[in-house]
Amino acid sequence: MAGASKAVVDSRANLPFVYRQYSPEQLTEVLHKMYLIRRFEEGAEECYTRGLIHGTMHLSIGQEASAMGVCMPLAEDDQITSTHRGHGHCIAKGAEVSRMFAEFFGKTTGYCKGRGGSMHIADVAKGNLGANGIVAGGIPIAVGAALSSKMMKTGKVVVSFFGDGANNEGAFHEALNMAAIWKLPVIFVCENNGYGMSTSTARSTAVKNIAERGAAYSIPGVIVNGNIFSEVAEASFKAVERARAGEGPTLIESKTYRHRGHSKSDRNRYRTKEEIEDWMANRDPITLFETELREFGFIDDQGIQAIRDAVTREIADGIEFAKASPAPEIATLEDYVYTEHA
């Protein structure tokens, strides 16, 4: 426990749920991973600018508490489906940043042998069934995985991450209806960052809160401040417990914000400079979490700096690993595209 006051930590009865549920070591590891998500994406952004990464990417800088809070109660064999803005989900579920960088660089040591790139990383060994470039594409996949879990009695819980734009797709409604009818162990997590590309949710969605749509399928709809880790983790914990108990799905709306544009080609003309700066200065999820950890005696400034330094080294090592990894040979172009015949 880095720099924590034992007296404070031992008297946790009145603290928020997660500070009573999880150990100081677990919570400081959360901070480590939140920094890892942010520094990974900043590193990827820099590599893109330098021409080391091609194509495009969708950054989740500013949404770290949402990814970590949702994944906190999950076991390693629980499963997730992700989105085009899914780097944080990958890391929260246990992915190695070195192999993620290698995938970005199109190298053979990447999670998908360099075939997937930024939008299509999968890490099945850690329960990550894959990111998806199709809006709402991962939602029915998660329902299928949850049906498999229920039929095979594996006890696995499945989480489907999606953005606010996906809640207006037919796949969203079909999936929620089916999951509710069969009481499947699936959690639907809408990371509502306010904009589907350049269109605000106020202009695109009839209901004020996306969580309200859970009522149409008789499942709980929960709204959380997606920039406060403790709120997200508590809602996720309750949803996971409900799913494991056979009580069916939950819809969580995590209200958050992306500091960057929709993608690298986004000029951000639909948002004001003042709006972006306000979120960055006053509602940054890492700053808010650090403040709570300090206030409750779980860490001090020295401990925080140690985490930052460790993450900086890990990111630098990951980029070097990707640079040094071999590129695919043209002769292997068709490899890993289809599954092998049994």
Side-chain angles (χ1 to χ4, degrees), residues 154-168:
T154 64
K156 294 179 182 179
V157 169
V158 186
V159 170
S160 178
F161 288 99
F162 55 94
D164 45 278
N167 97 103
N168 292 319

Side-chain angles (χ1 to χ4, degrees), residues 16-18 20 22 69 73 224 229-239:
F17 170 80
V18 295
R20 292 180 276 113
Y22 299 108
V224 294
F229 166 78
S230 56
E231 278 196 32
V232 182
E234 182 173 0
S236 180
F237 182 90
K238 292 177 179 176

Side-chain angles (χ1 to χ4, degrees), residues 111-152:
Y111 274 107
C112 300
K113 311 294 185 183
R115 270 70 170 175
S118 169
M119 285 194 288
H120 301 101
I121 294 179
D123 181 13
V124 178
K126 293 289 186 179
N128 183 352
L129 301 180
N132 203 308
I134 300 171
V135 174
I139 304 177
I141 295 172
V143 171
L147 176 60
S148 173
S149 173
K150 183 168 184 176
M151 293 180 69
M152 298 177 70

